Amino acid sequence: MSRGTAAAGRARNGMALLAIAAAGAALLRIAIAARIPLVEDEAYYWVWARHLAWGYPDHPPMIAALIALGTRLLGDGVIAIRILPVLLGSATPLLLYLAGRDLFNPPAGRRAALLFLVIPISALGLAFAFPDAPLGLFWALSLWSGWRALRAGGWWWVVAGIAVAMARLSKFTAVFLVAGLAVMWATGPWRRSLRDPGWYAGLAIGLFLILPTLWWNASHGWWVVRMVWERPPWIVPRSVPENLLYFLGGQLLYHGPLALLLVGGMVVALRRVRDPAWRYLACMSAPIMAATFALALGAQAKPHWSSPAYLTGLIALGTLWPDWRRRRPALVSAAAALTALITVAATGAVLLPVGVAVEDTFGRWDRVAEAVYREAAAREAFILTSSYQSASEIIYHARPPMPVTTPIAAFLLWQSPGDLAGRNVLYVDDRGDRGGNPVQSLANVCRNVQLVRAVPLTPQQVVTLYGCSDFRGSFGDSPVPGSP
C-alpha cells in the first residue's frame, strides 16, 4: 500500500468517526431535550414566538423565529420548541471541521470538531432552545466563509455577509465577528477586495438582513442598547478578585478543564499574528474575550458570553494538539479526559432513571400555573408576576384567557398597564426574599392587598399568590418586586 493510499484511508476513517460522533451527540441532545421540562427562559422565547417581531429587549429575533417554525410544524410540545435549535447546534462541529481544514489542514479540523463534542456546554447546553445554538452555528459558518472570502473573494463574500448577519440576528455578541473581520481585512493584503463585486454584494446583503432589527431598535428608543449599558450585575457584586473568580469558575464549569488549553490556543494565536491564519484566529477571538473579561470584573458578564471565542480556540487547539500532546502528554490527556468525564457524568445524570429528579430541579410550573389560573378566574383578575420567567411559564402551561403581564422586558410591549386600570389583580411572587416586601410594594399599585396562598414549585421553593383590587393602571415610581 502506498503512502498516499494509507493517508487517504486514514482521512476516510477520521471523517467516518467524526460523522458517527456528531450523529451520536445529536441523538443524545434530542434525548436530553425530551427528558427535561421547558425551562424558564425557553418559555419566555416561546412567548416571543407568539409575538413575532424584528426585535425584543433582550435578544434579536432568531430564536423566536426558530421556535415559531418548529411549533407551527410540530405543535407546542417541548421537542417542537427545541428541535430546530438542537439541529443547528448539532451541525456546528461540521462547520468547525471545514474552518479548521481550510485554515490549516483536515486533521486540525477533525480534532477541533471532536473536541467540540466533549465540552459540557456543547453536549448539554445545545439541547435547549437558547439563542446560543444558532449563534454558534453561524459563528462557525462565519469563521469558515470569512477566511474563504479573504483568500478567494467572489461569492464567498456573499456567504460571509449572510453568515455574519444571521449570527447578528441570533445574538448581539456577533458584533465581535464584524470587529474581527474588519481588523483582519485592514491588516493584510485583503483591500484588493475593493475591486471585487462580491465584496460589495456581501456587504449589501448583510446590511439588508440586519436593517429591520436596526429599524426596530431605533423605533423603540434603542431599548436593547440601554439594557446593555444599564444591565445590573448577574451576581451580587463583590470585590474584583471575587467577581473574576466567579467568572473563571464558570469557564471551567461550561467548558471543562479543556478551557485552559483553549485559552492557551488563543494566546498562541496572538503570539503568531504575523502568520495570516493565526492572525485570523486572534482577530476572531481576542475582541470578545477581552470584552467579557472586562465586564466580568464588575460581575456583569455571564460565563457563557465568551463561548463563541472558544469555537475559535478549538481550531487553534486542534492545530496545536499533536505538538502539545508530544511535549506535555500528561497535561493534555488529563484535560481532555476530565472534560469528557464531566460531560458523560452530567449527561448520565440527566438521562438515567437514577439521575437528576427533573421535577424537583426544574419545578412544577404546570401545577403552579393551574393554581394561578384558578385563583385569577375566581377573582376575575388579571395576572401580574414578579418576573418574566414566571409570566412565561404561566402562559405556556395554563394558556389563561385573562391578561398575564409583568413590568419587565418584552411584556411591556404587549400589554399596556393603562388598559388594565380598575381591574382586580392576582400577583404571583416567585422571588421570595429576593423580591423585597411584596405587600408594601403592591400597595402602591392597587388596594386591599391580601395573601391568598402559597403553591409549591420545588421542594425548596414556593410561589406566593397575593390578591388586590382597583389596579391604578401604572407601575409608577414604586414598581412591584422584580421590576427594573
Side-chain angles (χ1 to χ4, degrees), residues 99-482:
R101 180 199 66 181
D102 288 358
L103 275 157
F104 296 102
N105 52 61
R110 286 195 296 271
R111 286 188 289 266
L114 290 170
L115 289 169
F116 173 87
L117 296 176
V118 303
I119 293 175
I121 194 173
S122 302
L124 298 174
L126 295 179
F128 299 89
F130 294 150
D132 305 271
L135 174 67
L137 175 85
F138 293 119
W139 194 288
L141 179 59
S142 299
L143 286 175
W144 178 43
S145 59
W147 179 249
R148 293 298 299 264
L150 289 168
R151 303 286 289 185
W155 72 276
W156 280 106
W157 282 116
V158 176
V159 178
I162 293 173
V164 172
M166 297 298 275
R168 169 60 180 76
L169 290 170
S170 301
K171 209 166 182 179
F172 294 111
T173 46
V175 298
F176 294 105
L177 278 173
V178 179
L181 281 170
V183 171
M184 185 67 186
W185 181 83
T187 57
W190 320 114
R191 278 165 287 186
R192 63 176 183 270
S193 56
L194 291 173
R195 301 188 297 272
D196 185 346
W199 187 86
Y200 294 96
L203 183 63
I205 292 173
L207 288 173
F208 175 78
L209 289 173
I210 67 171
L211 189 61
T213 65
L214 296 176
W215 172 83
W216 186 92
N217 278 284
S219 62
H220 288 81
W222 298 103
W223 196 343
V224 174
V225 177
R226 289 188 284 111
M227 280 194 66
V228 171
W229 286 111
E230 299 170 4
R231 180 183 296 274
W234 77 279
I235 58 173
V236 177
R238 295 176 170 85
S239 66
V240 168
E242 288 178 301
N243 293 339
L244 188 57
L245 184 62
Y246 270 90
F247 180 75
L248 296 178
Q251 304 307 293
L252 291 175
L253 177 65
Y254 283 19
H255 305 96
L258 270 178
L260 302 174
L261 300 184
L262 293 171
V263 172
M266 295 181 226
V267 172
V268 170
L270 286 169
R271 295 176 61 184
R272 298 183 181 181
V273 290
R274 293 184 181 275
D275 181 284
W278 287 103
R279 183 164 71 252
Y280 183 70
L281 294 184
C283 288
M284 303 302 274
S285 59
I288 187 171
M289 284 298 290
T292 52
F293 184 84
L295 289 171
L297 299 179
Q300 291 182 302
K302 295 183 178 180
H304 66 281
W305 288 7
S306 58
S307 291
Y310 287 91
L311 295 178
T312 310
L314 284 165
I315 297 174
L317 181 56
T319 306
L320 296 166
W321 187 269
D323 182 50
W324 282 10
R325 192 174 184 186
R326 183 174 59 253
R327 295 167 55 189
R328 296 286 188 273
L331 174 63
V332 172
S333 298
L338 286 173
T339 300
L341 182 61
I342 291 170
T343 299
V344 170
T347 303
V350 171
L351 293 179
L352 295 178
V354 296
V356 175
V358 293
E359 291 184 353
D360 290 346
T361 302
F362 296 95
R364 290 294 305 271
W365 274 111
D366 55 340
R367 181 172 57 197
V368 172
E370 181 62 27
V372 168
Y373 167 63
R374 288 198 305 268
E375 291 290 350
R379 295 167 178 273
E380 298 183 348
F382 75 91
I383 299 168
L384 178 64
T385 73
S386 61
S387 68
Y388 69 83
Q389 293 97 332
S390 56
S392 302
E393 291 278 13
I394 291 166
I395 294 172
Y396 176 75
H397 288 286
R399 319 290 167 91
M402 67 282 295
V404 181
T405 190
T406 184
I408 303 169
F411 284 88
L412 294 174
L413 298 172
W414 308 321
Q415 180 64 66
S416 170
D419 295 339
L420 302 171
R423 295 188 58 171
N424 295 332
V425 180
L426 182 71
Y427 175 64
V428 181
D429 177 22
D430 70 325
R431 310 196 73 177
D433 294 339
R434 296 172 297 158
N437 186 335
V439 173
Q440 181 180 350
S441 298
L442 282 170
N444 294 305
V445 298
C446 56
R447 296 188 301 108
N448 304 320
V449 180
Q450 297 177 335
L451 173 65
V452 176
R453 59 179 291 199
V455 185
L457 177 62
T458 71
Q460 296 78 33
Q461 182 182 2
V462 298
V463 174
T464 308
L465 310 185
Y466 298 86
C468 61
S469 60
D470 195 21
F471 177 62
R472 73 178 190 182
S474 171
F475 300 117
D477 297 327
S478 299
V480 299

